[in-house]
Amino acid sequence: MPAIVVLVKNVPDTWSTKTLNEDFTLHREGVDEVIDEINEYAVEQALRIREANPGHEVIALSAGPFRAQEALRKALAMGADKAVLLSDAALAGSDVLGTAWALTSAINTLGDVQLIVAGNASSDGAMGALPGILAEYRQIPSLTNLSSVAVADGVVSGVKEAPEGSYQLQASLPALISVTEKTDKPRFPNFKGIMAAKKADIAVLTLAEVGVDPSQVGLANAATAVTAAEPRPERDGGEMVYTDGAERIYQFIQEAIK
């Protein structure tokens, strides 16, 4: 059966305080985690594509520790057919290149994958590079930052929004897409879906089972590294201007460009 793989990620809750470990990785232990909100939009698009193309199945895929199963269960509750977790201690600290390599290797085990759906950028890393790297590894077209998506007759199409304008894109399957929060709002799981997700079996794969050598992933083998970090400065109250606003703006710009 042709498959639509949707990538999901367990991330620290948006309202939680985020801190870094000594090696500059994000501290996750003991922090409330949830499915990344943008992934809910990706799941919604995967489900809508399945509804418009009967005979396909939606497989939710995540990479991370066992607690990442919570994100997968949310995808199942929304309506995904299956869930797969790639979990291995050697994955810890992987950069985007290593993560993409591990994910593409896991996808190779999932059968006839015709479409990969991802969010445009995770809320914890915010790089937005993984979809493009994953498509490059797989040598398939990538349509990124889409605000609308449609799949019909073996072709995926969508509207890509960029600062300079909007573009209508299309590509033949197999392909990869990433979506933004301007796509259809995620559905709320119903009670039946929630209960089924709680009982569902989630397949857990190791690096060995997907053919990835530990030397290709992990913090010690990352091709990129964070060498320094500092807290974001607190926002001040700014300056309130009640009269002669245009003149004050002109002065502010002149001072800034000196």
Side-chain angles (χ1 to χ4, degrees):
M1 180 183 294
I4 302 165
V5 172
V6 57
L7 304 180
V8 301
K9 187 177 185 181
N10 225 32
V11 299
D13 188 281
T14 304
W15 303 105
S16 65
T17 301
K18 298 179 178 62
T19 58
L20 298 179
N21 297 315
E22 292 183 359
D23 57 9
F24 300 115
T25 57
L26 187 63
H27 181 73
R28 298 177 184 274
E29 297 299 327
V31 177
D32 290 335
E33 291 187 313
V34 296
I35 184 174
D36 204 341
E37 184 178 1
I38 191 61
N39 295 158
E40 295 187 49
Y41 286 83
V43 172
E44 179 63 30
Q45 288 308 303
L47 298 176
R48 286 174 178 259
I49 292 168
R50 182 191 63 187
E51 291 162 0
N53 298 267
H56 289 65
E57 64 176 353
V58 172
I59 303 174
L61 172 64
S62 185
F66 279 102
R67 63 179 182 271
Q69 292 187 40
E70 292 307 309
L72 291 169
R73 293 196 188 280
K74 179 61 179 290
L76 288 169
M78 291 177 66
D81 299 293
K82 298 177 182 177
V84 177
L85 174 63
L86 177 62
S87 186
D88 198 298
L91 275 171
S94 296
D95 64 359
V96 66
L97 296 172
T99 300
W101 181 249
L103 286 172
T104 194
S105 300
I107 291 170
N108 288 340
T109 71
L110 301 182
D112 180 19
V113 176
Q114 289 296 298
L115 184 66
I116 302 169
V117 186
N120 63 328
S122 64
S123 62
D124 56 349
M127 292 182 64
L130 189 140
I133 295 171
L134 184 57
E136 180 65 21
Y137 280 153
R138 301 189 68 77
Q139 289 294 285
I140 58 176
S142 63
L143 284 62
T144 57
N145 293 304
L146 299 183
S147 58
S148 65
V149 183
V151 175
D153 301 323
V155 174
V156 57
S157 60
V159 175
K160 177 186 178 74
E161 295 192 3
E164 60 272 20
S166 299
Y167 302 88
Q168 181 70 45
L169 305 178
Q170 69 175 37
S172 298
L173 300 178
L176 177 148
I177 62 173
S178 70
V179 300
T180 71
E181 293 178 349
K182 292 187 177 181
T183 52
D184 304 286
K185 289 186 177 181
R187 66 193 68 187
F188 289 103
N190 56 35
F191 180 75
K192 182 179 179 181
I194 293 172
M195 295 308 296
K198 286 183 177 181
K199 300 176 182 178
D201 291 328
I202 294 177
V204 180
L205 300 175
T206 64
L207 290 179
E209 289 173 319
V210 300
V212 173
D213 190 287
S215 66
Q216 298 172 312
V217 296
L219 181 62
N221 304 302
T224 58
V226 178
T227 58
E230 60 184 39
R232 179 182 297 175
E234 294 186 8
R235 296 180 62 178
D236 57 29
E239 177 184 349
M240 302 294 292
V241 178
Y242 298 97
T243 59
D244 299 324
E247 177 64 23
R248 181 65 189 97
I249 292 173
Y250 173 78
Q251 293 175 357
F252 176 83
I253 294 174
Q254 291 300 309
E255 293 168 0
I257 62 178
K258 285 182 180 179

